[in-house]
Amino acid sequence: MSNTAKLIRQTMTVARRDFTATVLTPTFLLFLLAPLIMLGFGAIGGVGAATMANSREKSVRIVAITDSTAAASMQAIDKRLRQVFRDRDAPPPLRIDTPQRDPAAQARAALDAKDVDVAAVLYGPIERPTILYSAQGERTASYLAELAEQTLRADATTLAPRSIATKRQVTRETVSIGGQGQAAFFTVFGLFFLTLLLAGQAVGTMAEERSNKVIEILAAAVPLESVFLGKLIGMFGVALLFLAFWGTIVFNVGTLLPPEMTRAFAATGPAVGFPVFILLFIVYFTMAYMLLGAVFLGIGAQASTPRELQMLSLPITIFQVGMFGLSSAAAAQPGTLLATAAELFPFSSPFAMGAKAANSPELWPHALAIAWQLLWVAISVSVGARFFRRGVLQSAGPKFRWAALMGR
């Protein structure tokens, strides 16, 4: 046999070995399906975010406080003017309120209403109205001014301006519905991002200790349950340090923001109030971390190579993306069957209940949710510890192959 033929034969032998070692494993199926699964759960996340945006838009209104004489004409003019807008560019729906004893106080109360988000309010004589608008309502204030102008011109023959509006931006004194929705979405995203980022470190630690045989030394010194729980608690301590570090930075940066930016975020906040919300955020982060960390450690112990570890962690990550999409959609639709399902499902419950703290001021559901999540944390830690023991004790055992499944 010539040297060239021998080289080709040896090369193909190595290639065949690597090919079969990669393809004839269960993790290769995950690799094949990964793009489809990621696209599916990515679509779920996108639908959740879109639902959140649409929900906020549907809750916004503009208000005109005027008597019945001008109300009918103004509504007709509003209907005609909206025909020049595309649906996504149209102003919020118009609401006509009857003037009370103090229209100025009535207008301010409308802006601070908790049941609907009011972007701008017009009150006073239609010839010289006053328009109050929120930080994001400057465009709607201009629309109300034009609406007043067109209402006066409806029966006039002159083209000269007939209505002169005074527009004033005001800062909302209470959190708006849209602001609660934004806080709910940021809560879901923050819990998802932090949990996935920090719990994933457990897999990296496992891979390192499996490769340098440290895990076998620990298993010989202490019970494997203690190794599992020690790793989980130790990595959680690292996560808390990370959270405290960046939380301190964000808080201090927030105090340095200019007043204009601070006023822009005045309407955004949780319904339960910031002190209680921060406490609940930490609790739900703990629950989510323990649930995911136990799964990562338990499954990570089944892999003996970094490649297998990476492939096994992929479905967990994709599953978490699905939980993010479900919780985002639930945050946009509080009180619905979808929201209840997300709050009850163990792996989405911490995210969905964090969003509920932003959307609803009630506190008693959180006590029930925390007890429910503690039960599932205990279950996941127990199951994860068993998988951990099995993976560590059988780390040198024979590998499962598709060929064995087919009887070869």
Side-chain angles (χ1 to χ4, degrees):
M1 180 182 295
S2 64
N3 291 334
T4 302
K6 185 177 181 180
L7 177 62
I8 293 175
R9 179 181 178 183
Q10 292 171 341
T11 301
M12 295 307 298
T13 299
V14 174
R16 183 174 63 255
R17 174 188 175 277
D18 284 359
F19 179 81
T20 55
T22 302
V23 172
L24 298 180
T25 59
T27 55
F28 185 72
L29 180 61
L30 297 175
F31 174 75
L32 288 178
L33 298 179
L36 180 61
I37 299 174
M38 292 180 69
L39 286 175
F41 283 120
I44 294 175
V47 169
T51 304
M52 177 71 68
N54 293 334
S55 176
R56 182 184 182 278
E57 290 176 359
K58 291 179 180 179
S59 68
V60 179
R61 297 289 185 274
I62 55 176
V63 177
I65 301 175
T66 184
D67 54 38
S68 56
T69 305
S73 179
M74 184 173 289
Q75 286 178 325
I77 297 295
D78 173 66
K79 184 177 181 180
R80 189 177 75 237
L81 288 178
R82 289 177 183 274
Q83 296 178 359
V84 304
F85 292 98
R86 292 177 294 183
D87 289 341
R88 65 174 180 269
D89 297 328
L94 174 67
R95 190 183 80 194
I96 303 292
D97 289 352
T98 303
Q100 298 177 1
R101 180 177 302 177
D102 187 353
Q106 183 183 357
R108 185 56 199 249
L111 277 176
D112 291 332
K114 294 183 178 181
D115 58 338
V116 67
D117 286 343
V118 176
V121 183
L122 178 147
Y123 70 95
I126 201 167
E127 296 84 4
R128 291 184 177 274
T130 299
I131 301 174
L132 305 182
Y133 63 94
S134 61
Q136 290 82 28
E138 184 175 2
R139 188 175 68 90
T140 55
S142 299
Y143 177 78
L144 279 175
E146 182 62 23
L147 187 59
E149 172 68 20
Q150 294 299 324
T151 301
L152 283 178
R153 285 188 178 186
D155 300 323
T157 58
T158 178
L159 297 178
R162 298 176 58 84
S163 176
I164 302 176
T166 300
K167 293 184 286 186
R168 295 205 313 266
Q169 180 179 345
V170 296
T171 301
R172 188 182 175 99
E173 295 180 354
T174 59
V175 176
S176 65
I177 293 179
Q180 292 176 2
Q182 291 174 349
F185 180 77
F186 289 140
T187 300
V188 172
F189 178 78
L191 286 171
F192 163 75
F193 176 78
L194 290 173
T195 304
L196 198 60
L197 173 67
L198 298 173
Q201 288 185 336
V203 176
T205 302
M206 175 61 65
E208 181 180 352
E209 294 188 352
R210 288 292 293 269
S211 63
N212 57 24
K213 306 301 181 181
V214 171
I215 193 68
E216 282 81 357
I217 298 174
L218 290 174
V222 296
L224 282 174
E225 287 76 7
S226 298
V227 177
F228 178 85
L229 289 176
K231 283 182 169 296
L232 190 59
I233 295 173
M235 295 309 298
F236 178 66
V238 175
L240 286 182
L241 182 62
F242 179 93
L243 196 64
F245 174 78
W246 281 105
T248 303
I249 291 179
V250 171
F251 175 79
N252 285 281
V253 169
T255 60
L256 300 177
L257 292 176
E260 295 77 12
M261 294 188 64
T262 304
R263 286 195 294 268
F265 289 102
T268 302
V272 297
F274 275 104
V276 176
F277 176 76
I278 292 174
L279 177 61
L280 288 175
F281 184 91
I282 295 174
V283 170
Y284 289 133
F285 169 71
T286 302
M287 299 299 174
Y289 184 93
M290 289 297 179
L291 284 168
L292 188 60
V295 173
F296 266 127
L297 278 177
I299 292 182
Q302 312 308 307
S304 58
T305 65
R307 180 169 57 184
E308 288 185 356
L309 196 61
Q310 183 180 13
M311 295 305 301
L312 286 172
S313 63
L314 178 62
I316 306 176
T317 303
I318 296 173
F319 178 75
Q320 282 300 99
V321 173
M323 295 301 96
F324 168 71
L326 175 63
S327 302
S328 298
Q333 306 174 51
T336 62
L337 183 61
L338 175 65
T340 302
E343 291 161 8
L344 290 177
F345 189 69
F347 289 93
S348 64
S349 182
F351 306 142
M353 290 305 300
K356 188 177 183 67
N359 279 323
S360 173
E362 296 179 336
L363 294 179
W364 65 266
H366 298 285
L368 298 178
I370 291 171
W372 172 249
Q373 292 167 24
L374 279 173
L375 172 64
W376 280 97
V377 165
I379 293 174
S380 66
V381 169
S382 175
V383 174
R386 293 182 182 181
F387 270 91
F388 184 84
R389 166 181 283 276
R390 179 180 179 183
V392 171
L393 291 181
Q394 297 181 359
S395 60
K399 296 297 177 184
F400 179 83
R401 290 288 183 267
W402 290 114
L405 188 64
M406 293 183 290
R408 296 180 182 178

